[in-house]
Amino acid sequence: MLYFEDFAAGARYQAGPIPVDRDELIAFARRYDPQPFHTDPVAAQATLFAGLAASGWMTACLTMRMLVDSGNGPAGGFIARQIEGLEWPRPVRPGDTLRAASEVVEIRPSRSNPDRGMVRMRTETRNQDGEIVQVLTALLVVPRRPADQKDA
Amino acid sequence: MLYFEDFAAGARYQAGPIPVDRDELIAFARRYDPQPFHTDPVAAQATLFAGLAASGWMTACLTMRMLVDSGNGPAGGFIARQIEGLEWPRPVRPGDTLRAASEVVEIRPSRSNPDRGMVRMRTETRNQDGEIVQVLTALLVVPRRPADQKDA
């Protein structure tokens, strides 16, 4: 668990891997993003994706799971004040294995809240071939270390 | 199904409603965002959220479902080139009912692909009290109407 004081611009963190399960991919899309290129392997062939592809929101969700599991999260949890950018440059396919690599882009103390700061983090998600499938930039709210834990 | 020619800056679309189910909220978080304020009603009380709150990613997913169901989607489907912004100004709670309202912010023809254009769409998701729980800005890839359908 990291406090604001523990983050520095340029620091890097790894997370994952996590496999992309075909049944989960389809079930997720049926509930949250029911479009043929995410739900129907046959219909998906005739679309821009040329085959079944995960909903981008599922890629975001799997990335979030990797980040939480990594243990490199802010004290108090991953709480995004704002997602500043989210792109899916390549499709995620059933059977892919994803990993995430985050970099701290900027840190800055909060002007209004002396007990916290903001951490801008850029997270790239890649497949098993090293191809980037998602780029996420988030502005995280991170608490400062409490006075009684300064020596911890 | 809407082609690029059918979109105009300022046009508005409504979507929803969709209820937020407590069991689904917890199951979603256990899989994709396992943090106490999303998974544990008791532990959530002591967090910034002061009670169980949906993962922001679930709010994004429920919004996506409403958009797809609305029938006001681009021909070929909702395909985002880029999410330019995503914020969750207030927590979503179990039992909430969400609705989405989208506005076309800008349209512009693609420079490189004469068969498509870009539509910048801003979607606000509100709860049953009219409070904004999510603001999403997306740049959508939208096909132009094919020549053989100009009279359709």
Side-chain angles (χ1 to χ4, degrees):
Chain A
M1 283 302 198
L2 304 174
Y3 288 99
F4 180 68
E5 290 82 353
D6 300 318
F7 286 95
R12 292 168 184 272
Y13 305 95
Q14 308 295 321
I18 197 166
V20 180
D21 181 78
R22 180 190 174 89
D23 291 343
E24 180 182 2
L25 184 157
I26 292 174
F28 184 102
R30 281 188 179 151
R31 172 62 183 148
Y32 299 117
D33 194 350
Q35 306 193 86
F37 35 78
H38 299 321
T39 59
D40 183 336
V42 176
Q45 295 294 340
T47 70
L48 190 68
F49 293 96
L52 199 64
S55 168
W57 299 112
M58 182 172 172
T59 305
C61 284
L62 292 174
T63 299
M64 188 70 202
R65 174 62 188 263
M66 289 192 282
L67 293 177
V68 173
D69 281 356
S70 74
N72 291 317
F78 279 95
I79 298 176
R81 169 145 169 198
Q82 195 176 344
I83 303 298
E84 299 179 314
L86 180 59
E87 291 180 68
W88 300 288
R90 297 180 69 94
V92 169
R93 305 294 188 181
D96 278 357
T97 298
L98 306 182
R99 293 172 195 269
S102 301
E103 178 173 358
V104 176
V105 177
E106 185 192 356
I107 61 170
R108 64 162 193 264
S110 169
R111 265 166 262 169
S112 51
N113 287 289
D115 62 344
R116 69 182 68 163
M118 310 302 295
V119 173
R120 177 170 289 121
M121 190 167 280
R122 183 177 189 278
T123 300
E124 291 180 350
T125 306
R126 292 175 189 260
N127 64 21
Q128 65 284 353
D129 297 320
E131 298 166 328
I132 297 179
V133 295
Q134 180 182 278
V135 182
L136 165 69
T137 305
L139 194 61
L140 304 175
V141 182
V142 182
R144 285 179 173 275
R145 177 169 282 111
D148 59 1
Q149 293 181 36
K150 290 277 190 208
D151 299 328
Chain B
M1 284 302 197
L2 304 174
Y3 289 98
F4 179 68
E5 291 81 353
D6 301 318
F7 286 96
R12 292 168 183 272
Y13 305 95
Q14 307 295 320
I18 198 166
V20 180
D21 181 79
R22 180 190 173 88
D23 291 343
E24 181 181 1
L25 184 156
I26 293 173
F28 184 102
R30 280 187 179 150
R31 172 62 182 147
Y32 299 117
D33 194 351
Q35 306 194 83
F37 35 78
H38 299 321
T39 59
D40 182 336
V42 175
Q45 295 293 340
T47 70
L48 191 66
F49 293 96
L52 199 62
S55 168
W57 299 112
M58 182 172 171
T59 304
C61 284
L62 292 174
T63 298
M64 188 70 202
R65 173 61 187 261
M66 289 192 281
L67 293 177
V68 173
D69 282 356
S70 74
N72 292 316
F78 280 94
I79 299 176
R81 170 147 169 196
Q82 196 176 344
I83 303 297
E84 299 178 316
L86 180 58
E87 291 180 68
W88 300 288
R90 297 180 70 95
V92 169
R93 305 294 188 179
D96 278 358
T97 297
L98 306 182
R99 291 172 196 270
S102 300
E103 179 174 358
V104 175
V105 177
E106 184 191 358
I107 62 170
R108 63 162 194 263
S110 169
R111 263 167 263 168
S112 50
N113 287 290
D115 63 343
R116 69 183 67 163
M118 310 302 294
V119 173
R120 177 170 289 120
M121 190 169 278
R122 184 178 189 276
T123 299
E124 291 180 352
T125 306
R126 292 175 188 261
N127 64 20
Q128 65 284 351
D129 297 321
E131 297 167 328
I132 298 179
V133 295
Q134 180 180 279
V135 181
L136 165 69
T137 304
L139 195 60
L140 304 175
V141 183
V142 182
R144 285 179 173 274
R145 177 169 282 111
D148 59 1
Q149 292 181 35
K150 290 278 190 207
D151 299 327

